[in-house]
Amino acid sequence: MPEIKEINTMLKLKLLIYLFFAVISVSCQKKEKNNLFKIATLSTSLNEVSGITMISGSNHIYAINDSGNSNEVFCLNQQGVIEQIYKVPQSKNKDWEDITYDHNGTIYIGDFGNNVNDRKELVIYTLSGVLSDVVKTQKTTFSFEDQKKFPPKKKNRNFDVEAFIYRNESFYLFTKNRSSEFDGTTKVYKIKAKPGQQIAKLIDTFKTCNDPNDCFITAAAINQKGNKIALLTYNKVYLLSDFKGDRIFSGNIQKIKLNHYSQKEGICFKNDTTLLITDEKRGLTGSSNLYEYFLQNKSMN
């Protein structure tokens, strides 16, 4: 029965080929697994969303746009729908880049975008009474202790800020390195969270990576317990934990690859296991989007 044996051999060969490609397919799917999920396309009113936060005691997301837009804070539900808009009194949106919160129902808006590194006075607005709808504004202005020229030489341009958090009655600011000799270094400055003129003190530095297309720090967030900090780039999140005092890079650092490249500029903690992330509209046909990311235990690499 040579013909039957030949047929059986061919069937076995086909089965082996099928199993081989099935294993490859599953392997690729695992490799490409992504915990970033799109929740919604945001309103065109938020095409240039530059920061998001959530206030203690609220289930809403608060968002801002960057330079050239109105001085308004948008209150969204968790499906990304705008439910209320707050006009920020006694303020101007020169270059709003990030928004953060404290545990007293207060939010803080960072007007510290500084692309050319030539701003001599940077601003943080304190917005209280948001939960009670009786909104009041205070203003903190600051400059960097180590900036002497406005702008400095191109190789020294590391004074743009797009990310900050409120922690222990202070603001921690993370620079977006725009130096011509980019090496991924973000500088961390600290100022007191109170009205008036402040001097931003340099307290730490950290090297992300040396690709200027994917290593800019564009937003920051801190969780409710104050023991985790998330730093955002266009395609990554650096998750910091187990840090001591002001040395926030002294503990555990997880580098999370999002496997999704876009102009991401907003991040906040929904809870200890979930991040919310937003990106800006790019191009004529693009849109701003709201995403969820479910955290896993991933090590630095």
Side-chain angles (χ1 to χ4, degrees):
M1 306 284 287
E3 291 184 0
I4 294 176
K5 286 184 178 180
E6 186 173 309
I7 291 171
N8 286 338
T9 301
M10 291 296 295
L11 288 173
K12 288 178 181 178
L13 182 59
K14 287 181 178 180
L15 180 61
L16 287 173
I17 291 171
Y18 171 82
L19 290 173
F20 173 79
F21 282 106
V23 169
I24 291 295
S25 176
V26 170
S27 176
C28 290
Q29 288 174 11
K30 287 181 178 179
K31 188 174 182 179
E32 294 172 1
K33 184 179 179 181
N34 195 341
N35 289 333
L36 185 72
F37 298 94
K38 180 179 172 180
I39 299 174
T41 296
L42 297 176
S43 163
T44 54
S45 298
L46 284 166
N47 273 345
E48 295 184 289
V49 58
S50 59
I52 57 172
T53 196
M54 294 185 71
I55 302 178
S56 302
S58 171
N59 291 320
H60 288 87
I61 304 162
Y62 294 84
I64 56 171
N65 283 314
D66 64 14
S67 61
N69 290 281
S70 62
N71 58 335
E72 294 173 323
V73 176
F74 298 81
C75 177
L76 319 177
N77 63 25
Q78 292 193 23
Q79 287 70 50
V81 177
I82 298 173
E83 294 192 345
Q84 194 166 353
I85 301 174
Y86 299 90
K87 193 85 170 180
V88 181
Q90 301 174 331
S91 70
K92 181 181 179 181
N93 186 347
K94 186 170 183 178
D95 198 353
W96 290 8
E97 287 292 358
D98 205 2
I99 182 170
T100 191
Y101 74 102
D102 65 16
H103 293 286
N104 300 313
T106 304
I107 58 178
Y108 304 94
I109 300 166
D111 188 352
F112 38 46
N114 192 16
N115 291 9
V116 190
N117 287 212
D118 61 349
R119 291 181 67 177
K120 292 185 178 181
E121 186 176 84
L122 303 155
V123 180
I124 294 173
Y125 292 107
T126 298
L127 196 63
S128 58
V130 173
L131 296 180
S132 64
D133 290 336
V134 183
V135 178
K136 295 181 180 179
T137 309
Q138 290 182 307
K139 183 177 177 180
T140 301
T141 58
F142 69 94
S143 57
F144 299 105
E145 66 170 352
D146 56 335
Q147 184 173 6
K148 309 303 179 186
K149 294 183 179 181
F150 301 86
K153 292 181 179 179
K154 290 184 179 180
K155 66 179 181 179
N156 297 324
R157 292 187 182 179
N158 198 359
F159 298 100
D160 182 25
V161 177
E162 292 195 5
F164 82 135
I165 59 170
Y166 173 94
R167 177 174 175 258
N168 298 336
E169 300 182 354
S170 295
F171 298 122
Y172 292 76
L173 304 99
F174 303 84
T175 62
K176 182 178 182 179
N177 190 332
R178 293 186 177 275
S179 60
S180 58
E181 299 176 3
F182 182 81
D183 66 354
T185 298
T186 181
K187 298 194 290 184
V188 187
Y189 290 88
K190 181 180 178 181
I191 62 175
K192 295 178 181 178
K194 65 179 186 179
Q197 177 65 36
Q198 306 288 333
I199 301 296
K201 304 289 185 181
L202 180 63
I203 61 169
D204 209 349
T205 62
F206 175 69
K207 285 190 177 183
T208 54
C209 53
N210 59 10
D211 178 4
N213 292 315
D214 190 27
C215 304
F216 291 136
I217 298 298
T218 60
I222 188 167
N223 67 340
Q224 294 277 337
K225 295 177 183 176
N227 60 1
K228 291 181 182 179
I229 296 171
L231 302 178
L232 180 68
T233 77
Y234 292 157
N235 189 33
K236 299 182 185 72
V237 172
Y238 290 88
L239 188 65
L240 317 179
S241 59
D242 300 324
F243 41 81
K244 305 293 183 182
D246 286 343
R247 306 295 293 179
I248 58 177
F249 294 108
S250 63
N252 183 43
I253 302 174
Q254 295 176 346
K255 183 172 69 173
I256 300 169
K257 295 180 180 179
L258 300 176
N259 298 318
H260 179 276
Y261 184 88
S262 65
Q263 191 172 336
K264 298 177 182 69
E265 301 221 353
I267 191 170
C268 69
F269 283 88
K270 181 179 179 181
N271 51 51
D272 275 356
T273 59
T274 309
L275 295 170
L276 297 175
I277 294 172
T278 55
D279 56 13
E280 284 193 11
K281 173 184 176 180
R282 302 195 81 174
L284 297 175
T285 59
S287 61
S288 295
N289 302 290
L290 174 66
Y291 306 88
E292 271 188 337
Y293 186 86
F294 300 101
L295 292 169
Q296 292 181 336
N297 184 21
K298 297 186 177 183
S299 59
M300 184 84 169
N301 55 36

